[in-house]
Amino acid sequence: MEPSCSPTPSRERLRRAPGRPVDPGKDRVILAAARALIRAGGPAAVTMERVAQHAGVSKVTLYRRYANRTALLEAVVRQRAQRLCRALRAPPVSDADVRARLYAFVEALLAFLCGSEHRQFLRALSGVPQSPADVQRIWQLGPATAHAALAAFLRAAHAQQQLHCPDADAAAEQLLGLAMGLDLVRSLYRVPLARQRRVHRRAHAQQVVDGFLRAYAGGFTAAAVASPGPSAPAG
Amino acid sequence: MEPSCSPTPSRERLRRAPGRPVDPGKDRVILAAARALIRAGGPAAVTMERVAQHAGVSKVTLYRRYANRTALLEAVVRQRAQRLCRALRAPPVSDADVRARLYAFVEALLAFLCGSEHRQFLRALSGVPQSPADVQRIWQLGPATAHAALAAFLRAAHAQQQLHCPDADAAAEQLLGLAMGLDLVRSLYRVPLARQRRVHRRAHAQQVVDGFLRAYAGGFTAAAVASPGPSAPAG
């Protein structure tokens, strides 16, 4: 099982593009323009016309890279999911590596959840009428892809006896739930998130990953499992 | 620390109401009318005029029970939170009781998350302009109250050495995150939830509570902790 996210489609397209070579700088500008439209108005705000206008490129340039708005939308979401899952790209090489990569992944997830990009997108998602097909495609390429990448990573760790989690899909959903805690709920109710500062996100990432690893400990030695452990309570 | 939710304000009001006794049947009809308005349009849809009309009662009858729309809104949210936290009302009496009550609480939470009431409310919350004060009050009396009730329950279990969780607030948020998993995300992206059927919710509740108890095991004997435990992996 391949734990990495799929390669950026825009890069694949760059390799395959016919005629004169495309400008990667323009590609970045196009994706940034599409991202800005999505965060403000959700996928419904993305049209080829508007993206070309916001990016300051011609529609010919845009269509040369993306066949239609769906392809462009997908490229934006894939790029985001890929960034989020960077730490899970390769299977873990040691027990310590499992822990370090899960820390990095959870920290990246928390930073994303706390960011204005995600909070604005959440509002747009519900506040502006959206096509169910667009929204469900974003689920597939975004959250569901991150879930699958995490499950594949845990499956590899299980196969290498670094963890004991025979049901990697369930374990991945549990770790995502632990990481988010109530922060998605806080976003919805527009109250401040619990972990706005990086130092708090890092502490939270360590706490949830340590708790997760305690519950799914496999090849870890007792000493490597951080306290508070499943030992007898004080007093 | 009192792990129960606060008593229903409507009952307090019934005891204190001057003049002829109020009709509890009418109280139920009023709260049901307010709930229906909230699920359709969020708190912004609740006015005393509309609630009276939907409930088929006079505004005098309504004002006799609730001083204003804020008091009525609060009564609705308190009633919901109280139902959700029913299993946490009293401190646990044994290790088995901790487990059984957490199962019941998580099952109730999952049923609520899967219900049309919550899914409609989520859309109304973001889809219709809402007063930040209303939304933040609902957070306080709803999710934050459930979190506090769960933390108080875990604190009591820790004090009685049934669990080892010195930071009960963090542990409670972790259990809530585990229980929700990705289902709130699925709701937002309008894809089917993972646990629509009661039998799946029950299995999930047992899985997350067992995982949580493994991570926070205190007075539990090893035999009482369900597999897969923190034992060495097979093979």
Side-chain angles (χ1 to χ4, degrees):
Chain A
M1 187 66 66
E2 175 54 70
S4 71
C5 298
S6 53
T8 331
S10 59
R11 283 198 186 281
E12 283 197 283
R13 202 166 294 107
L14 292 179
R15 281 199 300 274
R16 288 194 308 246
R20 59 175 185 174
V22 296
D23 173 359
K26 270 192 187 163
D27 215 59
R28 279 194 293 276
V29 171
I30 289 169
L31 290 176
R35 267 204 309 276
L37 287 168
I38 292 174
R39 72 192 272 177
V46 175
T47 65
M48 293 300 261
E49 184 80 43
R50 264 190 230 146
V51 172
Q53 199 182 349
H54 277 252
V57 302
S58 71
K59 282 177 75 179
V60 172
T61 298
L62 187 56
Y63 276 105
R64 198 163 159 225
R65 284 162 169 86
Y66 302 99
N68 49 47
R69 68 176 284 282
T70 302
L72 175 54
L73 209 55
E74 291 183 1
V76 172
V77 181
R78 275 211 184 87
Q79 189 192 46
R80 199 73 199 73
Q82 222 180 2
R83 267 195 226 159
L84 205 60
C85 300
R86 193 173 286 155
L88 306 176
R89 242 173 229 170
V93 297
S94 68
D95 293 1
D97 193 37
V98 171
R99 184 182 298 271
R101 306 262 219 105
L102 292 179
Y103 279 173
F105 169 70
V106 171
E107 259 200 83
L109 176 66
L110 296 173
F112 174 63
L113 284 178
C114 284
S116 62
E117 177 183 345
H118 181 253
R119 301 196 78 177
Q120 284 179 30
F121 174 68
L122 269 191
R123 291 197 199 177
L125 200 61
S126 318
V128 180
Q130 306 289 342
S131 134
D134 277 353
V135 173
Q136 286 156 15
R137 195 82 189 112
I138 295 179
W139 156 261
Q140 264 315 320
L141 296 174
T145 293
H147 177 222
L150 179 58
F153 180 86
L154 297 178
R155 205 172 283 118
H158 176 77
Q160 293 164 202
Q161 302 189 13
Q162 288 146 347
L163 280 183
H164 178 67
C165 61
D167 186 348
D169 285 321
E173 182 158 346
Q174 288 186 8
L175 181 54
L176 289 170
L178 276 171
M180 292 190 295
L182 290 173
D183 269 355
L184 191 56
V185 187
R186 291 188 182 98
S187 270
L188 291 171
Y189 286 92
R190 297 171 208 180
V191 294
L193 300 199
R195 293 164 280 274
Q196 294 284 10
R197 292 181 56 206
R198 192 170 176 196
V199 58
H200 295 145
R201 290 200 294 270
R202 178 161 292 180
H204 180 65
Q206 296 191 350
Q207 192 179 38
V208 302
V209 170
D210 290 348
F212 177 81
L213 293 178
R214 275 200 300 281
Y216 287 102
F220 285 104
T221 62
V225 179
S227 64
S231 55
Chain B
M1 190 66 64
E2 175 57 71
S4 69
C5 299
S6 54
T8 330
S10 58
R11 283 196 185 282
E12 282 197 282
R13 203 166 293 108
L14 292 178
R15 282 200 299 275
R16 289 194 308 247
R20 61 176 181 171
V22 295
D23 174 359
K26 271 191 187 166
D27 215 59
R28 278 194 293 276
V29 171
I30 289 168
L31 289 176
R35 265 202 311 276
L37 288 168
I38 291 174
R39 71 192 271 175
V46 175
T47 65
M48 294 300 260
E49 185 79 45
R50 263 189 231 148
V51 172
Q53 198 183 350
H54 278 250
V57 302
S58 71
K59 282 176 74 177
V60 173
T61 298
L62 187 56
Y63 276 104
R64 200 166 157 220
R65 287 164 169 85
Y66 302 100
N68 50 46
R69 68 175 285 281
T70 301
L72 175 53
L73 210 54
E74 291 184 0
V76 172
V77 182
R78 275 211 182 87
Q79 189 192 48
R80 199 70 199 77
Q82 223 179 3
R83 267 195 224 159
L84 205 59
C85 300
R86 192 172 287 153
L88 305 175
R89 241 172 231 170
V93 297
S94 68
D95 292 0
D97 193 37
V98 171
R99 184 182 297 273
R101 305 259 221 108
L102 292 179
Y103 279 172
F105 168 70
V106 171
E107 260 200 82
L109 176 65
L110 296 173
F112 174 63
L113 283 178
C114 285
S116 61
E117 177 183 344
H118 182 253
R119 300 197 79 179
Q120 284 180 30
F121 174 69
L122 268 192
R123 292 199 198 176
L125 200 61
S126 318
V128 180
Q130 306 288 342
S131 134
D134 276 353
V135 173
Q136 286 156 15
R137 194 84 189 108
I138 295 179
W139 156 262
Q140 264 316 322
L141 296 173
T145 294
H147 177 222
L150 179 58
F153 181 85
L154 296 178
R155 207 171 280 119
H158 176 77
Q160 292 163 200
Q161 302 187 13
Q162 289 148 345
L163 281 184
H164 178 67
C165 61
D167 185 347
D169 285 321
E173 183 158 344
Q174 289 187 7
L175 182 53
L176 290 170
L178 276 172
M180 291 190 295
L182 290 172
D183 269 356
L184 191 56
V185 187
R186 290 188 183 97
S187 270
L188 291 171
Y189 286 91
R190 298 171 208 177
V191 294
L193 301 198
R195 293 164 279 275
Q196 293 284 9
R197 292 182 56 205
R198 192 172 175 194
V199 58
H200 295 147
R201 290 200 294 270
R202 178 161 294 177
H204 181 65
Q206 296 190 352
Q207 192 180 37
V208 303
V209 170
D210 290 349
F212 177 80
L213 293 178
R214 275 200 299 284
Y216 287 103
F220 286 103
T221 62
V225 179
S227 64
S231 55

